[in-house]
């Protein structure tokens, strides 16, 4: 068995360097072209993290400033496929004014029958909107646009 020892480190970075510097030195072994790719990857990662942080901050401040307007109130309580019981409605009403909505997914078709798409249909009660006001483009009121339909429309709720 032959054992050879040498002091030559064959161009490798010393093991005492931090990991980041060792990775950078390893990239430099093949010249600067590989190092440019490394720097580009680091820059891209920093840009993505910064972009996500900025978007998160913008959404958070938007919800803080206009949350009630976007939600239609201060709090949304959802129960899929079932209307709240009378006891639940009274408990929720103890916190303030309430408004009920019902949503369902259905298919919407063009009048000529040429095309169809999945849509979400939403029904609101007479207290809608709790915050703000509905503004239509032609200046017509919501009641007039709905043709004076009263709430609840008998076909929409089942007890």
């Amino acid at each position: 068995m032959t054992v050879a020892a040498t002091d030559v480190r064959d161009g490798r970075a010393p093991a005492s360097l931090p990991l980041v510097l060792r990775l950078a030195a390893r990239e430099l072994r093949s010249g600067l072209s590989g190092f440019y790719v490394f720097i580009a990857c680091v820059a891209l990662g920093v840009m993505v993290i910064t972009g996500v942080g900025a978007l998160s901050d913008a959404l958070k401040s938007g919800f803080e400033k206009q949350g009630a307007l976007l939600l239609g109130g201060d709090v949304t309580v959802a129960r899929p496929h079932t209307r709240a019981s009378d006891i639940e409605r009274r408990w929720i009403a103890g916190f303030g004014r309430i408004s009920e909505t019902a949503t369902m997914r259905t298919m919407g078709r063009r009048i000529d029958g040429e095309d169809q798409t999945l849509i979400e249909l939403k029904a609101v009660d007479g207290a809608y909107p709790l915050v703000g006001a509905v503004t239509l483009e032609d200046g017509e009121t919501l009641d007039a646009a709905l043709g004076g339909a009263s709430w609840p429309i008998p076909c929409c709720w089942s007890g």
Side-chain angles (χ1 to χ4, degrees):
M1 174 185 278
T2 305
V3 177
T6 179
D7 287 347
V8 179
R9 296 192 54 96
D10 62 20
R12 290 185 296 167
S16 62
L17 286 176
L19 177 63
V20 173
L21 293 178
R22 284 192 313 214
L23 289 174
R26 186 176 299 158
E27 289 295 324
L28 282 173
R29 281 190 299 191
S30 64
L32 288 178
S33 63
F35 190 65
Y36 293 137
V37 172
F38 176 74
I39 293 298
C41 290
V42 170
L44 181 63
V46 169
M47 286 189 295
V48 168
I49 291 171
T50 303
V52 168
L55 179 63
S56 173
D57 290 344
L59 287 173
K60 183 178 177 183
S61 67
F63 283 129
E64 286 173 354
K65 292 177 184 174
Q66 296 180 339
L69 188 60
L70 292 172
L71 291 174
D74 292 326
V75 176
T76 298
V77 179
R79 183 178 212 184
H81 311 297
T82 307
R83 188 177 184 191
S85 69
D86 289 337
I87 295 171
E88 293 166 334
R89 292 182 76 231
R90 283 194 299 271
W91 181 79
I92 295 169
F95 294 99
R97 291 181 43 215
I98 63 170
S99 176
E100 281 189 89
T101 62
T103 58
M104 66 178 278
R105 291 194 177 142
T106 186
M107 294 300 292
R109 292 191 180 137
R110 288 176 37 160
I111 293 175
D112 60 9
E114 289 294 316
D115 198 13
Q116 64 186 19
T117 187
L118 180 66
I119 61 171
E120 186 168 288
L121 186 62
K122 187 171 194 174
V124 296
D125 65 3
Y128 176 84
L130 289 177
V131 177
V134 176
T135 305
L136 303 177
E137 286 183 8
D138 60 0
E140 190 176 23
T141 66
L142 183 60
D143 289 335
L146 295 175
S150 61
W151 181 263
I153 300 171
C155 66
C156 297
W157 284 115
S158 59

